[in-house]
Amino acid sequence: MGILGLSKLIADIAPHAVKEMEIKNYFGRKVAIDASMSLYQFLIAVRSEGANLTSVDGETTSHLMGTFYRTIRLIENGIKPVYVFDGKPPEMKSHQLNKRAERREEAEKELQKATEAGDSASMEKFNRRLVKVTKQHGEEARELLKLMGIPVVEAPCEAEAQCAALVKAGKVYAVATEDMDALTFGADVLLRHLTFSEARKMPVQEFHLNQVLDGLELNHNEFIDLCILLGCDYCGSIRGIGPKRAIELIKQHRSIEQVLKNIDTNKYQPPENWAYEDARRLFLNPEISDEKDIELKWSDPDEEGLVKFLCGDKQFNEDRVRNGAKKLMKARTGTTQGRLDGFFKVLSTTPNPKRKAEQEKMKANKKTKVGGGRGRKPK
Amino acid sequence: MFEARLLRSSILKKVLEAIKDLLTQATFDCDDNGIQLQAMDNSHVSLVSLTLRADGFDKYRCDRNISMGMNLGSMSKILKCAGDKDTVTMKAQDNADTVTFVFESPNQEKVSDYEMKLMNLDLEHLGIPETEYSCTIRMPSAEFARICRDLSQFGESMVISCTKEGVKFSASGDIGSANIKLAQTASIDKEEEAVVIEMDEPVTLTFACQYLNFFTKATSLSPQVQLSMSADVPLVVEYRIPDIGQIRYYLAPKIEEDDN
């Protein structure tokens, strides 16, 4: 999923590019949310006593619970969310998807074993591994969002790519997903942990693409090559080259072609028929719908519709649903707080010279001590 | 070497009270002319701009320009240790990573010093364009604080509208609505108690009460406050600190939803 180890690499090398923010700082911002990612999160996280919440006939409703309450939380904080749904997966992802299917089968076997042994802790663990976002989950979530008055965008292919396109076109401020490849697709701002539950008190991580590129000293094409080397969803990567080697190699040689020419391919074997060029093309020109055709419109929630949809069979509490609808309604009336950014221009942001000196020192230390400075958290 | 000495610590204490709710950390830029601080709150809705002129200090020395990033919570804790009548001296070496506060009691019998670690903050300088404001209102600062406090009970936002009749503050919410009108003072006996309105064009703007209530924490610094407004630009709330400088707050207005 996403790019292997990219967030850690950024945190290590370009800690400046990551900011931790509170959710309330995003009032008035439009944010594109990767729907399948968040549905998956909800299916995993929204549970009671280890089992998904279900309707009377045993259909899962965790995703609806999550979508409903967490969307309300975003809206109460003044954020305007847009949910972007995946279309068909790109052909190049089939390999990755097969792998996932294999892993699922394995988990299923393990689950059976655990059930026979009556080991409830591992039963729960493997149960969670079996979680899959189905078509039906998606359909239900779409219907719910429509009733809530939240716009939904159908991506022709990968949702992250469509989200990135929306950011680039200035239609939204940022992409909210946990997958780092939204950056690879060229989204200027990526938010992580935005749809997490309030109880976890997790700050929102904000990544800025231009600061990431500055910090890594790469341009966007080189960054894409770096991501392919780290390991993306669309093709394999070279065995034996981890994040550290990958960034070093790209910095030195500037492209995968040059890297291949300059490394010992016997020692580091690239995968057979390595389709890195296709992956690169996919990151640069993903299949997306034209942002001009996309109109984002937030509308009033349909309270009666929500009650009809969620209560009854799906066993939501009517009072809480009505209450939620009122909150949605309340957020629509009134004015939005402006920001000073529009009025005053930032003249210069100079990173503190002292810190720069410290970083230089750190770098020097790293070279002498292998593995030093690992896991350093950004401020 | 940087050294700045104030005969009364109360000014510095009050300045800190006036900014620490808005900002958690800030950079104090010190040069020959004095100390400057400029910072936005986290959500970039308001900006604080503080100036303390060198001539307002009892003693002021700044050999090399120095920027000191401070955690305002910690600084406030330290200043709470000073008596109101104590003399306060801020000291730092060139390129230091700490700053020292020295408090001396009036009779010189008690001297305490506190050292605080500095923070490595990014220096972000904002260009604030010179603006001719359509309306400026001068009024007693306590009056303004009272109005903000009273109206924030009615709603999250407050409408300030300035016309030639005077200035009107209003708020509405679940419990009802509130309006406070102030007219220009007819005859000015005491300048500090006067309401003075200069107006070229009427202006009506909406602001978040929460932020205005943060600003009025500066009330004790100055008997008068000045509000400057123009359509669609940030409000300026200025408190002049007698003999030493001023503190200015900028606040972005609330805007009507444009699309849907």
Side-chain angles (χ1 to χ4, degrees):
Chain A
M1 293 238 123
I3 308 291
L4 214 62
L6 179 60
S7 58
K8 203 170 162 301
L9 187 75
I10 293 175
D12 277 352
I13 299 185
H16 260 303
V18 198
K19 291 199 183 87
E20 293 204 336
M21 298 285 237
E22 278 176 81
I23 187 166
K24 62 171 201 270
N25 291 352
Y26 292 100
F27 61 83
R29 300 279 200 211
K30 296 172 183 170
V31 173
I33 299 176
D34 177 355
S36 43
M37 165 58 73
S38 54
L39 288 182
Y40 183 76
Q41 268 178 17
F42 299 147
L43 284 174
I44 298 257
V46 183
R47 280 164 187 252
S48 86
E49 287 158 15
N52 272 328
L53 308 170
T54 56
S55 66
V56 243
D57 28 303
E59 293 285 338
T60 311
T61 54
S62 287
H63 57 297
L64 297 176
M65 187 70 136
T67 310
F68 187 61
Y69 289 110
R70 304 245 172 114
T71 308
I72 288 176
R73 176 167 170 246
L74 294 182
I75 292 199
E76 276 193 302
N77 278 290
I79 297 171
K80 295 176 141 196
V82 190
Y83 281 84
V84 181
F85 283 85
D86 273 321
K88 59 173 195 340
E91 259 169 48
M92 299 189 59
K93 209 172 176 174
S94 57
H95 175 69
Q96 181 73 20
L97 295 176
N98 285 342
K99 251 200 230 163
R100 278 186 211 166
E102 270 168 39
R103 250 179 272 157
R104 188 182 306 281
E105 268 169 36
E106 253 168 58
E108 214 154 338
K109 276 182 208 148
E110 293 285 339
L111 177 66
Q112 264 177 3
K113 259 191 235 164
T115 323
E116 276 161 27
D119 177 356
S120 59
S122 19
M123 261 167 74
E124 202 183 315
K125 184 169 124 200
F126 291 114
N127 221 332
R128 283 187 198 214
R129 272 198 210 161
L130 280 177
V131 166
K132 196 182 171 198
V133 179
T134 63
K135 239 192 183 142
Q136 199 201 344
H137 292 146
E139 290 301 328
E140 285 176 346
R142 280 188 187 88
E143 192 175 339
L144 173 62
L145 289 169
K146 219 166 104 195
L147 291 168
M148 292 173 78
I150 310 292
V152 166
V153 172
E154 300 291 343
C157 196
E158 290 277 67
E160 292 103 313
Q162 187 68 53
C163 289
L166 289 172
V167 179
K168 278 196 266 186
K171 290 254 180 188
V172 298
Y173 171 75
V175 184
T177 175
E178 305 306 309
D179 275 357
M180 294 297 287
D181 50 3
L183 284 179
T184 325
F185 280 116
D188 301 301
V189 185
L190 182 146
L191 305 179
R192 289 179 99 192
H193 315 332
L194 186 73
T195 50
F196 277 22
S197 119
E198 201 163 1
R200 284 174 71 178
K201 298 243 180 327
M202 193 76 112
V204 178
Q205 279 187 328
E206 184 173 320
F207 292 80
H208 284 261
L209 180 62
N210 54 1
Q211 287 164 7
V212 168
L213 296 180
D214 271 1
L216 299 177
E217 297 164 34
L218 300 175
N219 66 32
H220 192 213
N221 289 340
E222 291 158 5
F223 179 65
I224 291 176
D225 277 13
L226 171 72
C227 292
I228 296 174
L229 272 185
L230 288 172
C232 64
D233 288 348
Y234 310 114
C235 65
S237 58
I238 305 177
R239 241 171 195 288
I241 293 188
K244 266 190 137 167
R245 279 286 282 159
I247 179 80
E248 266 171 40
L249 286 170
I250 288 288
K251 269 193 190 173
Q252 204 177 345
H253 304 299
R254 299 283 153 193
S255 73
I256 290 186
E257 282 85 353
Q258 288 300 318
V259 168
L260 284 178
K261 273 185 205 159
N262 286 293
I263 57 170
D264 180 358
T265 40
N266 288 323
K267 197 171 158 205
Y268 299 109
Q269 271 181 352
E272 254 176 80
N273 302 326
W274 194 19
Y276 66 88
E277 280 170 328
D278 293 327
R280 189 189 286 160
R281 210 171 306 131
L282 204 122
F283 278 125
L284 276 174
N285 298 310
E287 194 183 336
I288 46 168
S289 19
D290 195 349
E291 71 277 347
K292 282 186 212 92
D293 302 338
I294 296 172
E295 206 194 335
L296 304 176
K297 210 159 166 44
W298 286 263
S299 47
D300 288 346
D302 174 357
E303 187 177 324
E304 293 311 317
L306 281 168
V307 169
K308 214 170 126 201
F309 182 66
L310 291 174
C311 305
D313 274 4
K314 296 199 172 63
Q315 292 184 313
F316 277 60
N317 179 318
E318 184 174 334
D319 289 345
R320 292 184 67 180
V321 172
R322 285 191 189 279
N323 208 344
K326 295 227 165 63
K327 283 182 186 166
L328 288 172
M329 202 57 208
K330 188 174 169 236
R332 284 191 49 75
T333 55
T335 50
T336 351
Q337 175 65 54
R339 276 189 170 75
L340 287 175
D341 309 26
F343 300 105
F344 304 146
K345 286 275 164 294
V346 176
L347 292 181
S348 65
T349 318
T350 28
N352 194 296
K354 225 177 280 160
R355 176 153 66 198
K356 227 177 183 176
E358 266 170 30
Q359 273 173 10
E360 296 290 314
K361 239 194 266 169
M362 283 268 230
K363 265 187 205 163
N365 281 345
K366 258 189 204 167
K367 270 175 201 156
T368 49
K369 264 191 293 172
V370 178
R374 270 197 142 197
R376 184 158 52 97
K377 282 268 151 36
K379 264 198 186 157
Chain B
M1 176 77 180
F2 166 77
E3 193 176 339
R5 186 179 143 100
L6 276 171
L7 286 179
R8 300 282 291 269
S9 75
S10 54
I11 289 180
L12 203 54
K13 283 177 165 220
K14 286 177 190 165
V15 164
L16 220 67
E17 283 305 304
I19 59 178
K20 80 167 169 50
D21 289 336
L22 274 173
L23 311 170
T24 51
Q25 53 198 40
T27 308
F28 288 75
D29 292 311
C30 311
D31 62 15
D32 257 358
N33 303 318
I35 302 176
Q36 285 263 3
L37 177 152
Q38 192 203 55
M40 280 197 277
D41 70 289
N42 270 336
S43 47
H44 290 199
V45 170
S46 64
L47 178 136
V48 180
S49 170
L50 165 77
T51 307
L52 297 173
R53 291 187 312 269
D55 57 49
F57 288 89
D58 174 43
K59 186 181 164 198
Y60 188 91
R61 173 182 165 196
C62 183
D63 302 340
R64 282 170 72 182
N65 292 0
I66 177 170
S67 293
M68 297 186 286
M70 299 198 203
N71 178 321
L72 297 181
S74 316
M75 185 173 170
S76 153
K77 274 183 195 155
I78 289 177
L79 286 171
K80 285 217 171 91
C81 305
D84 268 355
K85 289 182 179 149
D86 286 1
T87 320
V88 56
T89 312
M90 277 167 76
K91 277 192 224 171
Q93 297 298 328
D94 294 336
N95 281 324
D97 45 18
T98 57
V99 58
T100 308
F101 296 88
V102 182
F103 306 133
E104 291 160 84
S105 64
N107 53 13
Q108 302 277 315
E109 278 169 358
K110 179 182 167 195
V111 178
S112 32
D113 66 279
Y114 296 85
E115 197 179 60
M116 184 177 78
K117 286 190 197 115
L118 293 176
M119 302 173 80
N120 291 328
L121 301 176
D122 288 344
L123 316 172
E124 197 175 66
H125 290 282
L126 282 173
I128 299 168
E130 285 288 318
T131 314
E132 285 285 317
Y133 288 93
S134 318
C135 301
T136 55
I137 305 147
R138 276 203 305 283
M139 59 190 284
S141 59
E143 185 70 68
F144 181 60
R146 178 75 200 258
I147 290 171
C148 292
R149 198 190 69 203
D150 289 351
L151 289 189
S152 59
Q153 301 180 91
F154 287 83
E156 286 171 10
S157 38
M158 177 202 288
V159 178
I160 305 180
S161 75
C162 185
T163 58
K164 48 177 194 299
E165 282 79 42
V167 54
K168 190 174 90 178
F169 302 88
S170 40
S172 63
D174 291 344
I175 52 170
S177 62
N179 290 291
I180 300 170
K181 281 184 210 143
L182 288 183
Q184 174 131 260
T185 314
S187 62
I188 302 170
D189 295 332
K190 278 188 188 165
E191 207 170 317
E192 290 181 358
E193 287 165 18
V195 176
V196 182
I197 298 168
E198 284 164 32
M199 191 207 76
D200 296 332
E201 266 175 76
V203 178
T204 299
L205 288 172
T206 309
F207 300 100
C209 291
Q210 186 199 1
Y211 285 92
L212 294 171
N213 279 323
F214 284 143
F215 299 171
T216 55
K217 295 273 194 300
T219 302
S220 59
L221 280 168
S222 175
Q224 282 251 321
V225 59
Q226 176 173 310
L227 312 179
S228 309
M229 300 199 298
S230 280
D232 302 322
V233 302
L235 162 80
V236 188
V237 179
E238 178 177 326
Y239 294 87
R240 296 216 174 104
I241 313 169
D243 304 322
I244 185 160
Q246 80 273 349
I247 182 162
R248 274 195 202 117
Y249 300 96
Y250 294 81
L251 177 61
K254 288 197 162 191
I255 25 188
E256 289 295 325
E257 294 281 284
D258 42 356
D259 54 272
N260 66 77

